[in-house]
Amino acid sequence: MFSLTQLFGRSTFSHGIHPPEHKAETAQRPIRRMPFPQQLVLPLNQHIGKPAVACVKKGQEVVRGEPIAEADSYVSVPLHAPATGRIRGIELMPSARGPRTPSILLDVYESATQEVLWGCERDLDSLSPEQLIQAVRETGMVGLGGAAFPSHVKLTPPTDHAVDTLVVNGCECEPYLTCDHRMMLEWTDALLLGTRIAMRCLGVAQAVIGVEDNKLDAVDAIAARIQPGSGISVKAVPTKYPQGAEKMLIKSVLNREVPPGGIPAQIGVVVNNVGTLSMLGRLLPKGEGLIERVVSVVGPGVERPGNYLVPIGTPVGFVLEQAGHEGRKSEIILGGPMMGTAVPSLDTPITKGTSGVLVLNEPAIDTESRLRSWPCIRCGRCLEACPMHLNPSMLGQLAAKREYEQMGEQYHLMDCFECGCCSYSCPSNIPLVQYFRIAKSILREKP
Amino acid sequence: MTNKAQIEIRTSPHAHSGADVVQIMRTVALTLLPLAGWGVWRYGLSAALLLLTTLLGCLLAERLFNRLRGQPSSLGDWSAVITGLLLGLSLPPGFPLWMGLVAAFAAIGLGKALFGGLGMNPFNPALVGRAFVQAAFPAAITTWTPALFDGRFTNPVPSTLAWPFLRPADISPWLHERAVDGFTGATPLALMKYEGQSIPLTDLLMGGGAGSIGEAALLILVCGLFLAFKRMLDWRIPLSIMASTALFAWLAQLFDPSAPGPLIMLCSGGLMLGAWFMATDMVGSPMTSLGVLIYGVLIGFVTEMIRLFGGLGEGVMYAILLGNAAAPLIDQWTQPRVFGAAKAKARKSA
C-alpha cells in the first residue's frame, strides 16, 4: 500500500545524515529473557534529576519487584528490586552516567524466580489523571529512549501552554539498535494502552506514533491494532538520523518547530518513546515497578546478537558472557554508536536508560585513521549535516581559539544537542562534538 | 570475554562517514591529470616542463615552509600537488620555467604558508601565484603560443628555457614562422576584444587555439562533473558562476550586439578551469548554501565586467580572488536560520 504521496510527499526535517543502519543483525530476533547474574548493581541515579534514596539496609532480604529506594524530590523516581535476594551493601560502583556512583548491590538468590512478587492490580479507568500520574511515578518509569527523564514529570507539562498532541517516538534512528522495533512488534497492545494512558494524563485527544520507514512491519502491526476513534494514528517518517530527536520528529509528523531553547510543550506537544509507553502499558495495570528492560546486544564483536529482556542492574560483562563476545580489543558502548557512551569497565550495569550494548571490535574501531585529525578545510559538510542548522565548522574554529562566548552568542552553541552529525561527516576528523560539549559546560559554569 | 580484553574508550559519535581530507585532495589532484595530459598533447614539451616545474616547485616550497615553521611535513595532504598542477594549467605554455618556479613559491609562500597552511588560506594559492607573476612578468604571461605545432615534442618554445633574470627571449620570429592563416598568437578572447575576430566554438571546447595549458572547456566540464558527482566539489559554485556569466553576457549582447555571446564567454579563457577547480577551493569559498550562490554570481559579474570593460582580455583570476576576499563576509551575512527560530527575528539579528 505504497502511494506516491507516501514516497515523495512525506515531510521531514532538513539536513541530517544516513549512516549505515546495521539493523538486520537483530531486527528479526524476538525479545528473549536473560537470566539473573549473581549480583546486580543498582545505581541510585538512573534518571535525570535527584538520585533516589535507598530504603533498604545491608543484609536485608528483598523480593522481586519490591521498592528499594524512594524518590527524594519531584524530579526523581523510586527504584525496585529486579530480583529476589539479599542486599550486600551500598557502595560506589562504575556507571555510565559518570564516575563511580552510589549503588545498591544485590546478591541474587540462586533459586530466584522470574515471577514478580510485588505489585497491586489497578482499575486504570477509574483513576483520575492526577492519580494516573502518581501511579506512573510509583512504577519508577523514566524515558527508556536513553535520556532517562522521569516519565511523570514529562506527563505533567507546564500549565502555561496548552498541549494538544502526544507524539510517540518510534523512530529508533540510532544504527544497530532494534529494541524499540521489537517492542512495537511484540508488545503492540501494551504500546497502545500506554499511549492511551499518556493521553489521559496529558488530557489530549490526539496521538501520533512516528516510525521510521525502515520498520514498515511495525507501522503495519500498530495500524492493525489501533481502535477507530481512539485519536491515535501512526505515521511513517523517512529513515534518517537524527529523526528520533524530539524536535526533528515533531517537525516531521506535525510540521511544527520548537523554538531555540524551548520545549515541545510550547508548541503544544509532548513526546514519549515507544519503549517507555509499551513498558508503561505492561506495568501499570499490575502496579509493578520498572525492573527490567529490553536491550539490543549487538555489534561486530557479539556472537549471539539479539534483543534481551535484561534485569536492571545486570553488569555489562554478564550480558556479554550471555550473548557471547570475541575480540581482544574492543569498545563497549551503552546506547547507539552516534550518542552512546563508551564504558571503561565491564562492571558497569545496565540501567533504566540503557537501550543497547554495542560492541565494536578492532576493525570497527579502526584506530589509525580515527586518531589523526586534519585542519578544517571549510568543506561545509558539517553544515549540510547539522539538523539544527548551526555552523559547526565556525563553532569548531572558535572553540580551538577558546572564544566560547562568541560561540554561544553569535553561533547558537546552546542549540546543539550533540547528535554527532557534524563529527560523523567531517573529513578532517575534527572532534567537533567533543569541542562543543566542553564549550557548553564552560558557558554553563559562567555566571 | 578473556581477562586480557582491552577496553577502548572514545567519545561519541563512535561512527564516522569515512570521508577523508587526504582522499578528497588526492582525488582532486588526480582528476587534474587528464587536463594536464591534454595540455601536454597540445603544447608539447614546453607544457610538460612547465607543469613539472610548478608541481615540483610547490612541493619544494611546501616542504621548505614546513621546515621554517618547525612543522612536520604536510606533503602527505596532497594540497600542494593540487596547487602545483592548477598553477601550471593556468599559465601560457611557453612561460619561462624560472618564472614558473617563482610563481610556485609565491603560490605556496604568499598564498598559503603566510596564513598558516592548509585550511587557513583565504585565497586560492594557485591564483595568488598566478597573480604574482601577472604583476611581475606581464609580457611573458600574455605571450601565447599556438597549439599542436610541428615538432612540439622535440623542441620546446624558445622562451621556455630563458635564462633567469635576463630579458626574456623574444619569440615573435618563432611565432611568425608558425603563423598559419594569419595566426597572431593572441588568445580567442584577445582576438575578439582587440581585433574583432571570432574563433570557432569547437576550438574553444577542445582548447584548439592559443591559451593557457588547461583551457579545454569540454574536458574541464567532464572532470568537474566527475568530482561533483563524487561530492568532492560544491556543484552550486560552478553552476552559479556559469549561469551568471551567461546571463550577464546575454545582457551585454542586448546592449551591444558585437559583444561576445554567452557560449563564447563560457568556453573561453580560464572561466571553466576557474569555475570548476579554483573558485571551488573549499577553503576560500563560502560554506552556506545561499552564500555559495552569491559568491558565484559575484565572480560571474566581475569576470564579465573585466572582460568587457577592463584592460585585460581575461578576468576570471581577479574575479575569483575578489570572491575569495568576500567569502568570510558572505558567510557572515548568510548564516543559516537556526532550527525553530522565527524568520523575522533571524533577519533582525543578522
Side-chain angles (χ1 to χ4, degrees):
Chain A
M1 210 182 74
F2 226 68
S3 70
L4 278 180
T5 47
Q6 258 186 322
L7 256 182
F8 299 106
R10 223 169 308 140
S11 58
T12 184
F13 64 99
S14 57
H15 299 183
I17 55 172
H18 293 95
E21 294 174 26
H22 290 291
K23 302 277 194 185
E25 287 94 318
T26 52
Q28 299 311 318
R29 293 174 191 258
I31 300 169
R32 284 191 301 154
R33 202 174 274 278
M34 194 167 269
F36 294 124
Q38 280 187 326
Q39 189 183 64
L40 292 170
V41 181
L42 300 152
L44 290 167
N45 66 337
Q46 299 197 24
H47 50 263
I48 287 175
K50 218 166 165 206
V53 176
C55 56
V56 287
K57 283 197 284 289
K58 187 176 173 179
Q60 184 179 334
E61 278 192 322
V62 293
V63 297
R64 179 159 154 94
E66 179 183 344
I68 54 174
E70 291 164 344
D72 186 35
S73 70
Y74 179 59
V75 188
S76 183
V77 288
L79 182 62
H80 303 77
T84 301
R86 190 182 295 276
I87 304 290
R88 174 182 279 267
I90 300 169
E91 289 172 25
L92 291 176
M93 294 295 286
S95 92
R97 290 195 139 255
R100 299 164 84 83
T101 43
S103 311
I104 300 176
L105 299 187
L106 175 61
D107 287 329
V108 181
Y109 287 158
E110 262 179 60
S111 58
T113 167
Q114 297 281 6
E115 194 187 340
V116 181
L117 302 167
W118 190 283
C120 53
E121 289 201 16
R122 283 197 183 95
D123 174 21
L124 296 176
D125 292 332
S126 66
L127 298 183
S128 69
E130 290 72 27
Q131 287 169 320
L132 262 182
I133 289 170
Q134 184 57 30
V136 169
R137 186 178 191 187
E138 280 163 17
T139 60
M141 181 58 71
V142 301
L144 298 184
F149 194 75
S151 295
H152 67 277
V153 182
K154 214 162 187 185
L155 293 176
T156 322
T159 47
D160 45 349
H161 303 288
V163 172
D164 56 51
T165 308
L166 169 70
V167 169
V168 186
N169 188 346
C171 290
E172 198 164 43
C173 59
E174 277 267 10
Y176 287 104
L177 303 187
T178 57
C179 55
D180 285 357
H181 187 179
R182 291 313 304 180
M183 284 188 269
M184 287 188 276
L185 284 177
E186 296 179 41
W187 299 355
T188 319
D189 286 333
L191 166 63
L192 291 170
L193 175 61
T195 306
R196 283 198 301 279
I197 293 169
M199 288 166 74
R200 276 190 58 207
C201 292
L202 293 165
V204 300
Q206 177 188 323
V208 188
I209 304 176
V211 184
E212 275 193 341
D213 57 11
N214 59 355
K215 299 179 257 294
L216 289 173
D217 54 345
V219 175
D220 292 341
I222 295 169
R225 305 293 297 169
I226 291 178
Q227 283 161 1
S230 61
I232 302 174
S233 61
V234 58
K235 186 173 181 183
V237 291
T239 299
K240 117 169 137 172
Y241 181 87
Q243 186 70 262
E246 265 187 359
K247 293 184 177 187
M248 306 304 125
L249 181 60
I250 295 172
K251 169 79 179 168
S252 295
V253 299
L254 299 176
N255 198 24
R256 298 186 199 170
E257 288 189 13
V258 181
I263 57 166
Q266 278 173 257
I267 53 167
V269 183
V270 165
V271 182
N272 266 262
N273 187 264
V274 284
T276 314
L277 293 186
S278 19
M279 192 54 102
L280 257 188
R282 279 165 70 89
L283 297 180
L284 263 191
K286 292 183 282 179
E288 290 176 1
L290 175 63
I291 55 175
E292 53 193 359
R293 65 156 297 151
V294 185
V295 178
S296 296
V297 184
V298 62
V302 175
E303 282 164 9
R304 291 180 294 282
N307 290 291
Y308 296 91
L309 193 54
V310 184
I312 305 286
T314 305
V316 167
F318 181 82
V319 171
L320 291 184
E321 262 170 42
Q322 295 292 315
H325 166 257
E326 59 176 34
R328 209 168 43 76
K329 196 168 86 176
S330 39
E331 198 178 11
I332 298 166
I333 295 151
L334 297 188
M338 294 305 295
M339 291 186 82
T341 321
V343 291
S345 161
L346 291 174
D347 295 332
T348 312
I350 302 293
T351 59
K352 293 176 179 178
T354 311
S355 47
V357 176
L358 170 63
V359 183
L360 299 178
N361 55 10
E362 288 117 319
I365 304 176
D366 189 22
T367 316
E368 287 309 308
S369 68
R370 228 29 92 63
L371 287 180
R372 172 90 206 248
S373 78
W374 301 85
C376 173
I377 56 165
R378 296 167 44 86
C379 66
R381 291 190 185 187
C382 50
L383 269 90
E384 278 170 41
C386 179
M388 291 306 292
H389 301 192
L390 305 180
N391 185 338
S393 161
M394 184 56 90
L395 283 168
Q397 288 173 45
L398 289 172
K401 288 189 277 180
R402 302 179 188 215
E403 309 256 12
Y404 300 125
E405 275 173 11
Q406 199 185 351
M407 290 171 76
E409 283 160 20
Q410 214 177 328
Y411 292 96
H412 313 280
L413 173 68
M414 286 312 189
D415 288 310
C416 167
F417 63 89
E418 303 171 22
C419 65
C421 287
C422 50
S423 292
Y424 176 86
S425 38
C426 178
S428 290
N429 248 333
I430 301 170
L432 292 164
V433 176
Q434 239 169 308
Y435 281 174
F436 303 159
R437 276 192 203 115
I438 295 168
K440 281 163 79 176
S441 64
I442 288 174
L443 280 185
R444 274 197 210 103
E445 276 167 27
K446 284 208 168 126
Chain B
M1 193 162 196
T2 58
N3 289 334
K4 283 181 188 163
Q6 234 179 306
I7 299 184
E8 295 275 314
I9 306 172
R10 311 263 166 77
T11 54
S12 65
H14 307 278
H16 192 265
S17 59
D20 176 0
V21 164
V22 178
Q23 190 206 337
I24 295 175
M25 294 285 182
R26 192 170 49 218
T27 312
V28 174
L30 294 179
T31 310
L32 288 170
L33 288 182
L35 277 175
W38 183 241
V40 168
W41 164 249
R42 275 155 52 231
Y43 297 108
L45 196 56
S46 292
L49 288 174
L50 182 59
L51 282 167
L52 214 59
T53 304
T54 53
L55 178 62
L56 293 179
C58 281
L59 291 175
L60 200 70
E62 181 91 359
R63 191 73 195 90
L64 179 76
F65 285 108
N66 286 156
R67 279 273 165 82
L68 291 178
R69 303 171 71 225
Q71 290 174 331
S73 166
S74 57
L75 295 183
D77 65 25
W78 284 74
S79 60
V81 177
I82 298 180
T83 303
L85 284 175
L86 270 183
L87 178 61
L89 288 171
S90 71
L91 292 171
F95 200 62
L97 296 185
W98 74 270
M99 294 182 184
L101 198 66
V102 170
F105 269 75
I108 298 293
L110 297 177
K112 193 170 162 196
L114 191 68
F115 295 101
L118 178 68
M120 309 296 282
N121 47 297
F123 301 102
N124 183 323
L127 284 180
V128 172
R130 193 184 191 279
F132 184 86
V133 289
Q134 171 99 48
F137 316 115
I141 208 164
T142 47
T143 304
W144 310 95
T145 48
L148 301 168
F149 60 85
D150 291 335
R152 62 190 185 280
F153 287 109
T154 46
N155 297 310
V157 180
S159 56
T160 296
L161 297 173
W163 283 100
F165 305 112
L166 297 180
R167 185 165 289 278
D170 182 11
I171 65 164
S172 42
W174 181 87
L175 273 178
H176 189 72
E177 276 172 39
R178 277 153 191 82
V180 201
D181 300 335
F183 185 88
T184 57
T187 66
L189 274 173
L191 279 179
M192 277 180 287
K193 181 162 178 147
Y194 305 115
E195 297 172 31
Q197 294 184 32
S198 68
I199 295 287
L201 197 63
T202 46
D203 272 11
L204 293 177
L205 286 173
M206 305 309 293
S212 300
I213 299 176
E215 278 177 29
L218 202 62
L219 190 58
I220 296 169
L221 191 68
V222 171
C223 294
L225 282 173
F226 166 77
L227 282 183
F229 185 71
K230 290 272 221 175
R231 286 195 65 211
M232 289 184 183
L233 58 77
D234 189 341
W235 57 272
R236 295 169 300 189
I237 294 176
L239 191 79
S240 67
I241 293 179
M242 286 162 59
S244 60
T245 304
L247 176 75
F248 292 126
W250 177 72
L251 283 176
Q253 238 183 0
L254 282 187
F255 291 103
D256 174 11
S258 71
L263 263 181
I264 304 286
M265 277 300 190
L266 281 181
C267 299
S268 58
L271 190 101
M272 287 301 255
L273 190 68
W276 286 93
F277 286 96
M278 290 173 164
T280 49
D281 181 355
M282 294 163 174
V283 183
S285 56
M287 284 191 289
T288 63
S289 40
L290 178 61
V292 290
L293 295 182
I294 297 175
Y295 171 78
V297 172
L298 177 71
I299 291 174
F301 178 74
V302 175
T303 301
E304 194 66 25
M305 288 300 113
I306 297 180
R307 281 185 176 184
L308 289 178
F309 307 111
L312 298 164
E314 260 288 358
V316 180
M317 176 178 78
Y318 290 114
I320 296 177
L321 286 172
L322 201 74
N324 287 159
L329 195 61
I330 294 176
D331 258 343
Q332 218 169 30
W333 283 340
T334 57
Q335 278 305 309
R337 179 182 70 92
V338 177
F339 180 89
K343 278 172 190 168
K345 197 177 155 200
R347 236 178 260 130
K348 209 186 288 171
S349 67

